[in-house]
Amino acid sequence: MEIFNTIYKKFINANEIVFFEITLSNFVLSFFVFLLILISRKLIKKILLKKSTIIFRFSDEKVKKAFTKSIDKPAEFLVITFSIFSATNLLNAPERANIFLNNINLSLFTILIFWMISKIIEPLSHKIKNLKTVLNKDLLDWMISAIKILIFILGFSAVLELWGIKVGPIIAGLGLFGVAVALGAQDLFKNLISGILVLVEKRFKKGDVITIENIVEGSVEKIGFRSTAIRKFDKSLCFIPNYQFAENAVINITEISNRRINWVIGVEYKTTITQLKNICDDIEKSIRSNKKDFLISDSTPVIVKINEFAPSSIDILVRCFTKTNDYNKFIDAKDSLAIEIKKIVEGRKCSFAFPSQSLYIEK
């Protein structure tokens, strides 16, 4: 009991010690509460995260995890903000200091609210039914990014207003500055509008393989506000300004329903008519019988015909369509067909032609 009496007396005596018009006992109590909440922040954060998932009722486990991950840092910041709020209220500071501390608390809570909103926008968008059917994923990502920027601007403006800084005149000044910048940033707006059109018209999406003739060919990694990142087949990363997709023809290879084989095969001129007919018939029968790799229909016909009399060969046109648009399976189908054609030509006692010249010496 003597120990408790001693501590109590010291605590009472601490009221006589004053720093900046705040008693030492209030400093000690404030610090103790701040430290207690800070030590318990992991437990409090865990409870807050659990309660938030119950409130929103996420059916999809992946969305639930994404939501929990997105609000993890804001939840921890909430506990810290609450600890600062509790500690500053226990100080019983004088009026001038109290106004300053209240502004700090309001600023922290304002930052927390806008930060939390910006973090939960993306997970909550998954709860809106049929949203992805109306907007594709890339356009949705764009809109979420734009909303996040808007929230940041609004949050920053709100904090400035709390400290008595008028945002209106600043915005008016930025407006005049923006007009001057816009005149010199026409390419930026052109790329921005082109990027929006790409997403609205759904020309391609992230992961698609596209080709722009004489410019680039590769897989789309990211569609940005100004440019699009494309991973070329040599694994180098290329950034293409968005206006290129508006001014040039874009071929979306991923959207190909069936990849086409279009070959011209040259055989020697000494090949007889019978041999030519037999080779054409055998190649066509081989393609038609291979229903695993090739699709034969009115829209995807098989054509194996004599094409022309070239300078060094009689050319046979072989045109058909594979069942897949997957590049690796397409290569496998081409490989098996090439081997089969070689077998057919050699089986008919013929040879492939190659560029050659005949030189006649006049006596």
Side-chain angles (χ1 to χ4, degrees), residues 1-63:
M1 288 295 291
E2 290 181 4
I3 295 171
F4 287 109
N5 287 329
T6 305
I7 293 169
Y8 178 73
K9 285 178 182 179
K10 285 184 178 181
F11 186 76
I12 293 297
N13 291 333
N15 282 324
E16 298 173 4
I17 304 170
V18 178
F19 295 100
F20 303 105
E21 299 181 35
I22 302 170
T23 61
L24 180 60
S25 60
N26 285 346
F27 268 121
V28 172
L29 183 62
S30 176
F31 179 73
F32 177 75
V33 170
F34 174 77
L35 199 63
L36 182 65
I37 297 173
L38 208 61
I39 291 168
S40 309
R41 71 182 186 277
K42 288 187 178 179
L43 177 63
I44 298 168
K45 184 181 75 172
K46 190 176 180 181
I47 295 167
L48 288 172
L49 292 175
K50 190 176 180 181
K51 292 292 182 183
S52 62
T53 51
I54 292 169
I55 291 167
F56 288 105
R57 297 177 183 178
F58 290 101
S59 56
D60 192 338
E61 194 63 30
K62 287 184 179 179
V63 177

Short mmCIF file of all heavy atoms in Angstrom, two decimals, residues 1-63:
data_model
loop_
_atom_site.label_atom_id
_atom_site.label_comp_id
_atom_site.label_asym_id
_atom_site.label_seq_id
_atom_site.Cartn_x
_atom_site.Cartn_y
_atom_site.Cartn_z
N MET A 1 0.82 -1.22 0.00
CA MET A 1 0.00 0.00 0.00
C MET A 1 0.85 1.26 0.00
O MET A 1 0.48 2.28 -0.56
CB MET A 1 -0.93 -0.01 1.23
CG MET A 1 -2.07 -1.03 1.16
SD MET A 1 -3.23 -0.67 -0.16
CE MET A 1 -3.97 0.82 0.47
N GLU A 2 2.00 1.18 0.67
CA GLU A 2 2.89 2.35 0.75
C GLU A 2 3.39 2.76 -0.63
O GLU A 2 3.55 3.94 -0.93
CB GLU A 2 4.09 2.04 1.67
CG GLU A 2 3.69 1.92 3.13
CD GLU A 2 4.89 1.64 4.00
OE1 GLU A 2 6.02 1.63 3.46
OE2 GLU A 2 4.70 1.44 5.21
N ILE A 3 3.63 1.76 -1.49
CA ILE A 3 4.11 2.04 -2.87
C ILE A 3 3.05 2.80 -3.64
O ILE A 3 3.34 3.79 -4.31
CB ILE A 3 4.46 0.71 -3.59
CG1 ILE A 3 5.64 0.04 -2.91
CG2 ILE A 3 4.78 0.98 -5.06
CD1 ILE A 3 5.92 -1.36 -3.39
N PHE A 4 1.78 2.32 -3.52
CA PHE A 4 0.68 3.00 -4.23
C PHE A 4 0.46 4.42 -3.71
O PHE A 4 0.19 5.34 -4.47
CB PHE A 4 -0.63 2.19 -4.08
CG PHE A 4 -0.66 0.93 -4.90
CD1 PHE A 4 -0.57 -0.31 -4.29
CD2 PHE A 4 -0.75 0.98 -6.28
CE1 PHE A 4 -0.58 -1.47 -5.03
CE2 PHE A 4 -0.76 -0.18 -7.03
CZ PHE A 4 -0.68 -1.42 -6.41
N ASN A 5 0.61 4.58 -2.37
CA ASN A 5 0.47 5.91 -1.78
C ASN A 5 1.55 6.85 -2.27
O ASN A 5 1.31 8.03 -2.55
CB ASN A 5 0.52 5.82 -0.24
CG ASN A 5 -0.76 5.22 0.34
OD1 ASN A 5 -1.84 5.41 -0.24
ND2 ASN A 5 -0.65 4.52 1.47
N THR A 6 2.75 6.29 -2.42
CA THR A 6 3.89 7.10 -2.91
C THR A 6 3.65 7.54 -4.34
O THR A 6 3.88 8.71 -4.70
CB THR A 6 5.19 6.28 -2.82
OG1 THR A 6 5.35 5.82 -1.49
CG2 THR A 6 6.40 7.13 -3.22
N ILE A 7 3.18 6.58 -5.19
CA ILE A 7 2.91 6.90 -6.61
C ILE A 7 1.80 7.94 -6.71
O ILE A 7 1.87 8.89 -7.50
CB ILE A 7 2.53 5.61 -7.38
CG1 ILE A 7 3.73 4.67 -7.46
CG2 ILE A 7 2.03 5.95 -8.78
CD1 ILE A 7 3.40 3.29 -7.96
N TYR A 8 0.75 7.75 -5.85
CA TYR A 8 -0.39 8.68 -5.87
C TYR A 8 0.06 10.10 -5.49
O TYR A 8 -0.34 11.09 -6.10
CB TYR A 8 -1.48 8.18 -4.92
CG TYR A 8 -2.68 9.10 -4.83
CD1 TYR A 8 -3.59 9.19 -5.87
CD2 TYR A 8 -2.88 9.89 -3.69
CE1 TYR A 8 -4.69 10.04 -5.80
CE2 TYR A 8 -3.98 10.75 -3.60
CZ TYR A 8 -4.87 10.81 -4.67
OH TYR A 8 -5.94 11.66 -4.61
N LYS A 9 0.90 10.18 -4.43
CA LYS A 9 1.38 11.49 -3.98
C LYS A 9 2.23 12.18 -5.06
O LYS A 9 2.11 13.37 -5.30
CB LYS A 9 2.21 11.33 -2.70
CG LYS A 9 1.36 11.07 -1.47
CD LYS A 9 2.24 10.86 -0.25
CE LYS A 9 1.37 10.56 0.99
NZ LYS A 9 2.21 10.32 2.19
N LYS A 10 3.07 11.38 -5.73
CA LYS A 10 3.91 11.93 -6.80
C LYS A 10 3.06 12.41 -7.96
O LYS A 10 3.35 13.42 -8.60
CB LYS A 10 4.92 10.88 -7.28
CG LYS A 10 6.06 10.67 -6.29
CD LYS A 10 7.09 9.70 -6.86
CE LYS A 10 8.25 9.54 -5.87
NZ LYS A 10 9.28 8.62 -6.39
N PHE A 11 1.98 11.63 -8.23
CA PHE A 11 1.09 12.02 -9.32
C PHE A 11 0.35 13.32 -8.99
O PHE A 11 0.16 14.18 -9.84
CB PHE A 11 0.07 10.89 -9.58
CG PHE A 11 -0.81 11.14 -10.77
CD1 PHE A 11 -0.33 10.97 -12.06
CD2 PHE A 11 -2.13 11.54 -10.60
CE1 PHE A 11 -1.13 11.20 -13.15
CE2 PHE A 11 -2.93 11.78 -11.68
CZ PHE A 11 -2.43 11.61 -12.97
N ILE A 12 -0.05 13.47 -7.68
CA ILE A 12 -0.72 14.70 -7.24
C ILE A 12 0.25 15.88 -7.30
O ILE A 12 -0.10 16.99 -7.76
CB ILE A 12 -1.28 14.52 -5.80
CG1 ILE A 12 -2.41 13.49 -5.78
CG2 ILE A 12 -1.77 15.86 -5.24
CD1 ILE A 12 -3.64 13.86 -6.58
N ASN A 13 1.47 15.61 -6.90
CA ASN A 13 2.48 16.67 -6.93
C ASN A 13 2.83 17.08 -8.36
O ASN A 13 3.28 18.20 -8.60
CB ASN A 13 3.75 16.21 -6.21
CG ASN A 13 3.53 16.07 -4.71
OD1 ASN A 13 2.67 16.74 -4.14
ND2 ASN A 13 4.30 15.18 -4.06
N ALA A 14 2.64 16.14 -9.30
CA ALA A 14 2.94 16.44 -10.71
C ALA A 14 2.04 17.52 -11.25
O ALA A 14 2.38 18.18 -12.25
CB ALA A 14 2.80 15.17 -11.56
N ASN A 15 0.89 17.72 -10.62
CA ASN A 15 -0.02 18.80 -11.05
C ASN A 15 0.59 20.17 -10.83
O ASN A 15 0.15 21.16 -11.42
CB ASN A 15 -1.35 18.69 -10.29
CG ASN A 15 -2.23 17.58 -10.87
OD1 ASN A 15 -2.24 17.38 -12.07
ND2 ASN A 15 -2.96 16.88 -10.01
N GLU A 16 1.56 20.23 -9.92
CA GLU A 16 2.19 21.52 -9.63
C GLU A 16 3.26 21.86 -10.66
O GLU A 16 3.70 23.01 -10.74
CB GLU A 16 2.81 21.46 -8.22
CG GLU A 16 1.76 21.24 -7.13
CD GLU A 16 2.38 21.02 -5.77
OE1 GLU A 16 3.64 21.12 -5.67
OE2 GLU A 16 1.63 20.76 -4.82
N ILE A 17 3.73 20.85 -11.44
CA ILE A 17 4.77 21.08 -12.46
C ILE A 17 4.05 21.36 -13.78
O ILE A 17 3.25 20.55 -14.25
CB ILE A 17 5.70 19.86 -12.60
CG1 ILE A 17 6.32 19.53 -11.24
CG2 ILE A 17 6.77 20.12 -13.64
CD1 ILE A 17 7.05 18.20 -11.21
N VAL A 18 4.36 22.49 -14.42
CA VAL A 18 3.64 22.92 -15.63
C VAL A 18 4.65 23.20 -16.76
O VAL A 18 5.68 23.86 -16.53
CB VAL A 18 2.80 24.19 -15.36
CG1 VAL A 18 2.11 24.66 -16.63
CG2 VAL A 18 1.78 23.93 -14.26
N PHE A 19 4.34 22.66 -17.97
CA PHE A 19 5.10 22.94 -19.19
C PHE A 19 4.14 23.48 -20.24
O PHE A 19 3.16 22.80 -20.58
CB PHE A 19 5.78 21.66 -19.72
CG PHE A 19 6.82 21.10 -18.81
CD1 PHE A 19 6.53 20.02 -17.97
CD2 PHE A 19 8.10 21.64 -18.77
CE1 PHE A 19 7.49 19.49 -17.14
CE2 PHE A 19 9.07 21.11 -17.93
CZ PHE A 19 8.77 20.03 -17.11
N PHE A 20 4.42 24.67 -20.74
CA PHE A 20 3.57 25.29 -21.77
C PHE A 20 2.09 25.32 -21.35
O PHE A 20 1.19 24.97 -22.12
CB PHE A 20 3.70 24.56 -23.11
CG PHE A 20 5.10 24.49 -23.62
CD1 PHE A 20 5.82 23.29 -23.56
CD2 PHE A 20 5.73 25.62 -24.13
CE1 PHE A 20 7.12 23.22 -24.02
CE2 PHE A 20 7.03 25.55 -24.59
CZ PHE A 20 7.74 24.35 -24.54
N GLU A 21 1.89 25.64 -20.06
CA GLU A 21 0.55 25.73 -19.47
C GLU A 21 -0.17 24.39 -19.39
O GLU A 21 -1.39 24.31 -19.28
CB GLU A 21 -0.32 26.74 -20.23
CG GLU A 21 0.24 28.16 -20.23
CD GLU A 21 -0.67 29.14 -20.97
OE1 GLU A 21 -1.90 28.96 -20.89
OE2 GLU A 21 -0.13 30.05 -21.61
N ILE A 22 0.58 23.30 -19.47
CA ILE A 22 0.01 21.94 -19.35
C ILE A 22 0.73 21.24 -18.21
O ILE A 22 1.96 21.22 -18.14
CB ILE A 22 0.20 21.12 -20.66
CG1 ILE A 22 -0.45 21.85 -21.84
CG2 ILE A 22 -0.41 19.72 -20.52
CD1 ILE A 22 -0.11 21.26 -23.17
N THR A 23 -0.05 20.65 -17.31
CA THR A 23 0.55 20.00 -16.15
C THR A 23 1.28 18.72 -16.55
O THR A 23 0.94 18.07 -17.54
CB THR A 23 -0.53 19.65 -15.11
OG1 THR A 23 -1.48 18.76 -15.70
CG2 THR A 23 -1.23 20.90 -14.61
N LEU A 24 2.27 18.37 -15.72
CA LEU A 24 3.06 17.17 -15.99
C LEU A 24 2.19 15.91 -15.92
O LEU A 24 2.38 14.97 -16.69
CB LEU A 24 4.21 17.08 -14.99
CG LEU A 24 5.15 15.87 -15.13
CD1 LEU A 24 5.82 15.87 -16.50
CD2 LEU A 24 6.20 15.85 -14.02
N SER A 25 1.22 15.91 -14.97
CA SER A 25 0.34 14.75 -14.84
C SER A 25 -0.46 14.51 -16.12
O SER A 25 -0.68 13.37 -16.53
CB SER A 25 -0.61 14.93 -13.65
OG SER A 25 -1.41 16.09 -13.84
N ASN A 26 -0.91 15.61 -16.76
CA ASN A 26 -1.63 15.47 -18.03
C ASN A 26 -0.74 14.95 -19.13
O ASN A 26 -1.16 14.16 -19.98
CB ASN A 26 -2.24 16.82 -18.44
CG ASN A 26 -3.46 17.18 -17.62
OD1 ASN A 26 -4.02 16.34 -16.93
ND2 ASN A 26 -3.89 18.43 -17.69
N PHE A 27 0.53 15.41 -19.12
CA PHE A 27 1.51 14.90 -20.09
C PHE A 27 1.69 13.40 -19.92
O PHE A 27 1.69 12.64 -20.89
CB PHE A 27 2.86 15.61 -19.91
CG PHE A 27 3.03 16.83 -20.75
CD1 PHE A 27 3.26 18.06 -20.17
CD2 PHE A 27 2.98 16.75 -22.15
CE1 PHE A 27 3.43 19.19 -20.94
CE2 PHE A 27 3.16 17.88 -22.92
CZ PHE A 27 3.38 19.11 -22.32
N VAL A 28 1.86 12.97 -18.66
CA VAL A 28 2.09 11.55 -18.37
C VAL A 28 0.87 10.71 -18.76
O VAL A 28 0.99 9.66 -19.40
CB VAL A 28 2.42 11.35 -16.87
CG1 VAL A 28 2.48 9.86 -16.51
CG2 VAL A 28 3.73 12.03 -16.52
N LEU A 29 -0.33 11.18 -18.36
CA LEU A 29 -1.56 10.46 -18.69
C LEU A 29 -1.78 10.37 -20.21
O LEU A 29 -2.15 9.31 -20.73
CB LEU A 29 -2.76 11.16 -18.03
CG LEU A 29 -4.14 10.49 -18.21
CD1 LEU A 29 -4.14 9.10 -17.59
CD2 LEU A 29 -5.23 11.36 -17.63
N SER A 30 -1.53 11.48 -20.89
CA SER A 30 -1.69 11.53 -22.34
C SER A 30 -0.73 10.56 -23.03
O SER A 30 -1.13 9.81 -23.92
CB SER A 30 -1.44 12.96 -22.83
OG SER A 30 -1.50 13.01 -24.24
N PHE A 31 0.52 10.57 -22.57
CA PHE A 31 1.53 9.68 -23.15
C PHE A 31 1.18 8.22 -22.89
O PHE A 31 1.34 7.35 -23.77
CB PHE A 31 2.91 10.00 -22.58
CG PHE A 31 4.00 9.13 -23.10
CD1 PHE A 31 4.48 9.28 -24.40
CD2 PHE A 31 4.54 8.12 -22.30
CE1 PHE A 31 5.50 8.46 -24.88
CE2 PHE A 31 5.53 7.29 -22.79
CZ PHE A 31 6.02 7.47 -24.08
N PHE A 32 0.68 7.92 -21.67
CA PHE A 32 0.32 6.55 -21.30
C PHE A 32 -0.82 6.02 -22.18
O PHE A 32 -0.77 4.90 -22.67
CB PHE A 32 -0.09 6.51 -19.82
CG PHE A 32 -0.54 5.15 -19.36
CD1 PHE A 32 0.37 4.14 -19.13
CD2 PHE A 32 -1.90 4.89 -19.18
CE1 PHE A 32 -0.06 2.88 -18.72
CE2 PHE A 32 -2.33 3.64 -18.77
CZ PHE A 32 -1.41 2.64 -18.53
N VAL A 33 -1.85 6.84 -22.40
CA VAL A 33 -2.99 6.45 -23.25
C VAL A 33 -2.53 6.24 -24.69
O VAL A 33 -2.92 5.27 -25.35
CB VAL A 33 -4.11 7.51 -23.18
CG1 VAL A 33 -5.18 7.24 -24.23
CG2 VAL A 33 -4.74 7.52 -21.80
N PHE A 34 -1.70 7.19 -25.18
CA PHE A 34 -1.17 7.07 -26.55
C PHE A 34 -0.38 5.76 -26.71
O PHE A 34 -0.55 5.04 -27.70
CB PHE A 34 -0.28 8.28 -26.85
CG PHE A 34 0.44 8.21 -28.17
CD1 PHE A 34 -0.22 8.46 -29.36
CD2 PHE A 34 1.79 7.86 -28.22
CE1 PHE A 34 0.44 8.38 -30.58
CE2 PHE A 34 2.46 7.78 -29.44
CZ PHE A 34 1.78 8.04 -30.61
N LEU A 35 0.48 5.46 -25.74
CA LEU A 35 1.30 4.25 -25.79
C LEU A 35 0.46 2.99 -25.70
O LEU A 35 0.70 2.01 -26.41
CB LEU A 35 2.32 4.29 -24.65
CG LEU A 35 3.54 3.38 -24.78
CD1 LEU A 35 4.38 3.78 -25.99
CD2 LEU A 35 4.39 3.44 -23.52
N LEU A 36 -0.57 3.03 -24.85
CA LEU A 36 -1.45 1.86 -24.66
C LEU A 36 -2.20 1.52 -25.96
O LEU A 36 -2.26 0.35 -26.37
CB LEU A 36 -2.44 2.15 -23.54
CG LEU A 36 -3.41 1.02 -23.19
CD1 LEU A 36 -2.65 -0.18 -22.63
CD2 LEU A 36 -4.47 1.49 -22.20
N ILE A 37 -2.76 2.54 -26.60
CA ILE A 37 -3.49 2.31 -27.87
C ILE A 37 -2.53 1.87 -28.96
O ILE A 37 -2.85 0.99 -29.78
CB ILE A 37 -4.26 3.58 -28.29
CG1 ILE A 37 -5.33 3.93 -27.25
CG2 ILE A 37 -4.93 3.37 -29.66
CD1 ILE A 37 -6.02 5.25 -27.49
N LEU A 38 -1.34 2.46 -28.98
CA LEU A 38 -0.34 2.13 -30.01
C LEU A 38 0.11 0.68 -29.87
O LEU A 38 0.28 -0.02 -30.88
CB LEU A 38 0.86 3.08 -29.89
CG LEU A 38 1.64 3.36 -31.18
CD1 LEU A 38 0.75 4.02 -32.22
CD2 LEU A 38 2.85 4.24 -30.88
N ILE A 39 0.29 0.22 -28.63
CA ILE A 39 0.69 -1.18 -28.40
C ILE A 39 -0.43 -2.14 -28.83
O ILE A 39 -0.16 -3.23 -29.35
CB ILE A 39 1.06 -1.39 -26.91
CG1 ILE A 39 2.35 -0.64 -26.57
CG2 ILE A 39 1.22 -2.88 -26.59
CD1 ILE A 39 2.64 -0.52 -25.09
N SER A 40 -1.66 -1.71 -28.64
CA SER A 40 -2.82 -2.57 -28.96
C SER A 40 -3.30 -2.41 -30.40
O SER A 40 -4.36 -2.94 -30.76
CB SER A 40 -3.98 -2.24 -28.02
OG SER A 40 -3.57 -2.24 -26.68
N ARG A 41 -2.54 -1.69 -31.23
CA ARG A 41 -3.04 -1.34 -32.57
C ARG A 41 -3.28 -2.56 -33.45
O ARG A 41 -4.23 -2.59 -34.25
CB ARG A 41 -2.11 -0.35 -33.27
CG ARG A 41 -0.78 -0.89 -33.73
CD ARG A 41 0.06 0.22 -34.37
NE ARG A 41 1.29 -0.27 -34.95
CZ ARG A 41 2.41 -0.50 -34.27
NH1 ARG A 41 2.42 -0.27 -32.95
NH2 ARG A 41 3.49 -0.94 -34.86
N LYS A 42 -2.45 -3.60 -33.33
CA LYS A 42 -2.63 -4.79 -34.16
C LYS A 42 -3.93 -5.52 -33.83
O LYS A 42 -4.63 -5.99 -34.72
CB LYS A 42 -1.43 -5.72 -34.01
CG LYS A 42 -0.17 -5.20 -34.68
CD LYS A 42 0.94 -6.23 -34.65
CE LYS A 42 2.18 -5.70 -35.39
NZ LYS A 42 3.29 -6.67 -35.36
N LEU A 43 -4.21 -5.59 -32.54
CA LEU A 43 -5.45 -6.24 -32.10
C LEU A 43 -6.67 -5.44 -32.54
O LEU A 43 -7.65 -6.00 -33.06
CB LEU A 43 -5.45 -6.39 -30.58
CG LEU A 43 -6.71 -7.00 -29.94
CD1 LEU A 43 -6.93 -8.43 -30.43
CD2 LEU A 43 -6.62 -6.95 -28.42
N ILE A 44 -6.60 -4.10 -32.37
CA ILE A 44 -7.71 -3.23 -32.77
C ILE A 44 -7.92 -3.28 -34.28
O ILE A 44 -9.05 -3.35 -34.76
CB ILE A 44 -7.46 -1.78 -32.29
CG1 ILE A 44 -7.37 -1.72 -30.77
CG2 ILE A 44 -8.56 -0.85 -32.79
CD1 ILE A 44 -6.84 -0.40 -30.23
N LYS A 45 -6.80 -3.27 -35.02
CA LYS A 45 -6.87 -3.33 -36.48
C LYS A 45 -7.52 -4.64 -36.94
O LYS A 45 -8.35 -4.65 -37.86
CB LYS A 45 -5.47 -3.21 -37.08
CG LYS A 45 -5.44 -3.16 -38.60
CD LYS A 45 -4.05 -3.05 -39.14
CE LYS A 45 -3.30 -4.35 -39.05
NZ LYS A 45 -1.99 -4.31 -39.76
N LYS A 46 -7.16 -5.74 -36.30
CA LYS A 46 -7.73 -7.04 -36.64
C LYS A 46 -9.25 -7.05 -36.44
O LYS A 46 -10.00 -7.57 -37.28
CB LYS A 46 -7.07 -8.12 -35.78
CG LYS A 46 -7.39 -9.54 -36.20
CD LYS A 46 -6.63 -10.54 -35.36
CE LYS A 46 -6.95 -11.97 -35.80
NZ LYS A 46 -6.22 -12.96 -34.97
N ILE A 47 -9.69 -6.45 -35.33
CA ILE A 47 -11.14 -6.38 -35.05
C ILE A 47 -11.85 -5.51 -36.10
O ILE A 47 -12.92 -5.87 -36.60
CB ILE A 47 -11.38 -5.81 -33.63
CG1 ILE A 47 -10.83 -6.78 -32.58
CG2 ILE A 47 -12.85 -5.54 -33.39
CD1 ILE A 47 -10.72 -6.21 -31.18
N LEU A 48 -11.23 -4.38 -36.44
CA LEU A 48 -11.82 -3.47 -37.44
C LEU A 48 -11.95 -4.14 -38.81
O LEU A 48 -12.97 -4.02 -39.48
CB LEU A 48 -10.97 -2.21 -37.56
CG LEU A 48 -11.02 -1.22 -36.39
CD1 LEU A 48 -9.97 -0.13 -36.57
CD2 LEU A 48 -12.40 -0.60 -36.26
N LEU A 49 -10.90 -4.87 -39.21
CA LEU A 49 -10.92 -5.56 -40.52
C LEU A 49 -12.00 -6.64 -40.55
O LEU A 49 -12.70 -6.80 -41.55
CB LEU A 49 -9.55 -6.18 -40.81
CG LEU A 49 -8.39 -5.20 -41.07
CD1 LEU A 49 -7.08 -5.95 -41.21
CD2 LEU A 49 -8.65 -4.36 -42.31
N LYS A 50 -12.13 -7.36 -39.44
CA LYS A 50 -13.14 -8.43 -39.37
C LYS A 50 -14.55 -7.84 -39.45
O LYS A 50 -15.41 -8.36 -40.16
CB LYS A 50 -12.95 -9.20 -38.06
CG LYS A 50 -13.79 -10.48 -37.99
CD LYS A 50 -13.48 -11.26 -36.73
CE LYS A 50 -14.32 -12.54 -36.68
NZ LYS A 50 -14.05 -13.31 -35.44
N LYS A 51 -14.78 -6.76 -38.72
CA LYS A 51 -16.10 -6.11 -38.72
C LYS A 51 -16.45 -5.54 -40.09
O LYS A 51 -17.59 -5.62 -40.54
CB LYS A 51 -16.14 -5.00 -37.66
CG LYS A 51 -16.08 -5.48 -36.22
CD LYS A 51 -17.34 -6.22 -35.81
CE LYS A 51 -17.28 -6.65 -34.35
NZ LYS A 51 -18.48 -7.44 -33.97
N SER A 52 -15.45 -4.96 -40.76
CA SER A 52 -15.70 -4.34 -42.08
C SER A 52 -16.10 -5.37 -43.12
O SER A 52 -16.98 -5.12 -43.95
CB SER A 52 -14.46 -3.57 -42.55
OG SER A 52 -13.36 -4.44 -42.71
N THR A 53 -15.46 -6.55 -43.09
CA THR A 53 -15.82 -7.62 -44.05
C THR A 53 -17.22 -8.16 -43.78
O THR A 53 -17.92 -8.58 -44.70
CB THR A 53 -14.80 -8.77 -44.00
OG1 THR A 53 -14.63 -9.19 -42.64
CG2 THR A 53 -13.46 -8.34 -44.56
N ILE A 54 -17.62 -8.16 -42.50
CA ILE A 54 -18.98 -8.61 -42.14
C ILE A 54 -20.02 -7.62 -42.65
O ILE A 54 -21.07 -8.00 -43.16
CB ILE A 54 -19.11 -8.80 -40.61
CG1 ILE A 54 -18.24 -9.98 -40.15
CG2 ILE A 54 -20.56 -9.02 -40.20
CD1 ILE A 54 -18.09 -10.08 -38.65
N ILE A 55 -19.70 -6.34 -42.54
CA ILE A 55 -20.64 -5.28 -42.98
C ILE A 55 -20.88 -5.35 -44.48
O ILE A 55 -22.01 -5.30 -44.95
CB ILE A 55 -20.09 -3.89 -42.58
CG1 ILE A 55 -20.14 -3.72 -41.05
CG2 ILE A 55 -20.90 -2.77 -43.25
CD1 ILE A 55 -19.35 -2.54 -40.53
N PHE A 56 -19.80 -5.49 -45.28
CA PHE A 56 -19.94 -5.46 -46.74
C PHE A 56 -20.36 -6.81 -47.32
O PHE A 56 -20.80 -6.88 -48.46
CB PHE A 56 -18.62 -5.00 -47.38
CG PHE A 56 -18.36 -3.53 -47.18
CD1 PHE A 56 -17.42 -3.09 -46.27
CD2 PHE A 56 -19.05 -2.59 -47.92
CE1 PHE A 56 -17.17 -1.74 -46.08
CE2 PHE A 56 -18.81 -1.23 -47.76
CZ PHE A 56 -17.87 -0.80 -46.83
N ARG A 57 -20.18 -7.90 -46.58
CA ARG A 57 -20.67 -9.23 -47.00
C ARG A 57 -20.18 -9.64 -48.39
O ARG A 57 -20.97 -9.78 -49.33
CB ARG A 57 -22.19 -9.27 -46.96
CG ARG A 57 -22.77 -9.08 -45.57
CD ARG A 57 -24.28 -9.05 -45.61
NE ARG A 57 -24.85 -8.79 -44.30
CZ ARG A 57 -26.14 -8.67 -44.07
NH1 ARG A 57 -27.02 -8.80 -45.08
NH2 ARG A 57 -26.58 -8.42 -42.85
N PHE A 58 -18.91 -9.84 -48.52
CA PHE A 58 -18.32 -10.27 -49.79
C PHE A 58 -18.52 -11.77 -49.96
O PHE A 58 -18.12 -12.56 -49.10
CB PHE A 58 -16.82 -9.94 -49.84
CG PHE A 58 -16.54 -8.47 -49.94
CD1 PHE A 58 -16.15 -7.75 -48.81
CD2 PHE A 58 -16.66 -7.79 -51.14
CE1 PHE A 58 -15.88 -6.40 -48.89
CE2 PHE A 58 -16.39 -6.44 -51.23
CZ PHE A 58 -16.01 -5.74 -50.10
N SER A 59 -19.12 -12.16 -51.07
CA SER A 59 -19.33 -13.58 -51.36
C SER A 59 -18.10 -14.21 -51.99
O SER A 59 -17.79 -15.38 -51.75
CB SER A 59 -20.54 -13.77 -52.29
OG SER A 59 -20.36 -13.02 -53.48
N ASP A 60 -17.39 -13.43 -52.80
CA ASP A 60 -16.17 -13.92 -53.46
C ASP A 60 -14.99 -13.78 -52.51
O ASP A 60 -14.70 -12.69 -52.01
CB ASP A 60 -15.92 -13.11 -54.74
CG ASP A 60 -14.85 -13.75 -55.61
OD1 ASP A 60 -14.04 -14.53 -55.08
OD2 ASP A 60 -14.81 -13.45 -56.82
N GLU A 61 -14.29 -14.90 -52.27
CA GLU A 61 -13.17 -14.90 -51.33
C GLU A 61 -12.01 -14.03 -51.81
O GLU A 61 -11.34 -13.36 -51.02
CB GLU A 61 -12.69 -16.35 -51.11
CG GLU A 61 -11.77 -16.53 -49.93
CD GLU A 61 -12.42 -16.22 -48.59
OE1 GLU A 61 -13.65 -16.39 -48.46
OE2 GLU A 61 -11.70 -15.76 -47.69
N LYS A 62 -11.78 -14.02 -53.13
CA LYS A 62 -10.69 -13.21 -53.69
C LYS A 62 -10.96 -11.72 -53.50
O LYS A 62 -10.05 -10.95 -53.15
CB LYS A 62 -10.51 -13.52 -55.18
CG LYS A 62 -9.86 -14.87 -55.46
CD LYS A 62 -9.64 -15.06 -56.95
CE LYS A 62 -8.97 -16.39 -57.23
NZ LYS A 62 -8.78 -16.61 -58.69
N VAL A 63 -12.20 -11.32 -53.74
CA VAL A 63 -12.58 -9.91 -53.56
C VAL A 63 -12.48 -9.53 -52.08
O VAL A 63 -12.05 -8.43 -51.74
CB VAL A 63 -14.01 -9.66 -54.09
CG1 VAL A 63 -14.45 -8.23 -53.83
CG2 VAL A 63 -14.09 -9.97 -55.58
#
